[in-house]
Amino acid sequence: SSSVPFTTAAVTAREWELHMEEPPATGEFWSFVLTNEGRELHEFGIAALPPDTPAEDIVAQVRATGEIPPTADPLAVVGPVEPGRTMQLDSPIPLEWNRRYIFACFLRVEEGPDRGRLHAELGMFGEFRTMPDPSPSPTVFPTLETPSPAGT
């Protein structure tokens, strides 16, 4: 039971789409609620994206290795959530200002022609970027060089 103030973002899952109503814009604490409106199990995973890395690259790496690469900072997972159910992230997570994030369902298709493929590969992923930090930067005063007395 954390007492930090946080904002909740609502996410809806269906085949093959993961829709976030209003993606986080601030570098603060966030929680995520996943509602599964689909017919399959779905999850919501979130990770910080490395600079200059497209979200698609992370999906391809998870497809190949089965895990989120350490260069993308995995932050949290909600689920898996059964069809028709809703689940909230256990504890809110801090997001950084001015940072890109990927969110995705990294579960694999159980049967049919797409068996073994990630739900993310079929379109269940997205990305967002938080705003630059609006708080003023601290004033930095130049350090004055005090000349040392000659001959010491």
Side-chain angles (χ1 to χ4, degrees):
S1 60
S2 72
S3 56
V4 307
F6 64 91
T7 310
T8 300
V11 184
T12 307
R14 62 179 72 85
E15 294 78 31
W16 300 103
E17 180 191 13
L18 206 50
H19 178 70
M20 199 181 317
E21 201 58 51
E22 290 189 30
T26 56
E28 294 165 343
F29 279 86
W30 284 82
S31 182
F32 298 90
V33 174
L34 178 64
T35 301
N36 185 352
E37 295 181 353
R39 298 177 308 279
E40 311 270 336
L41 274 178
H42 291 301
E43 69 175 15
F44 169 85
I46 182 168
L49 278 166
D52 308 322
T53 303
E56 289 82 1
D57 287 14
I58 302 300
V59 172
Q61 287 176 30
V62 174
R63 158 87 171 141
T65 66
E67 48 195 49
I68 295 175
T71 52
D73 190 9
L75 297 173
V77 175
V78 181
V81 179
E82 304 266 349
R85 304 295 294 274
T86 295
M87 188 184 287
Q88 175 149 6
L89 186 62
D90 290 338
S91 53
I93 54 169
L95 299 183
E96 294 173 41
W97 292 98
N98 201 22
R99 186 85 198 256
R100 289 167 56 237
Y101 292 89
I102 179 177
F103 59 95
C105 178
F106 287 124
L107 298 180
R108 290 181 188 269
V109 178
E110 295 289 329
E111 52 200 25
D114 286 317
R115 184 162 185 250
R117 293 183 72 194
L118 300 172
H119 292 188
E121 288 180 88
L122 302 175
M124 294 190 76
F125 77 96
E127 69 169 88
F128 64 88
R129 178 193 280 278
T130 53
M131 302 182 301
D133 190 343
S135 62
S137 326
T139 309
V140 179
F141 296 100
T143 46
L144 297 172
E145 296 279 326
T146 316
S148 50
T152 52

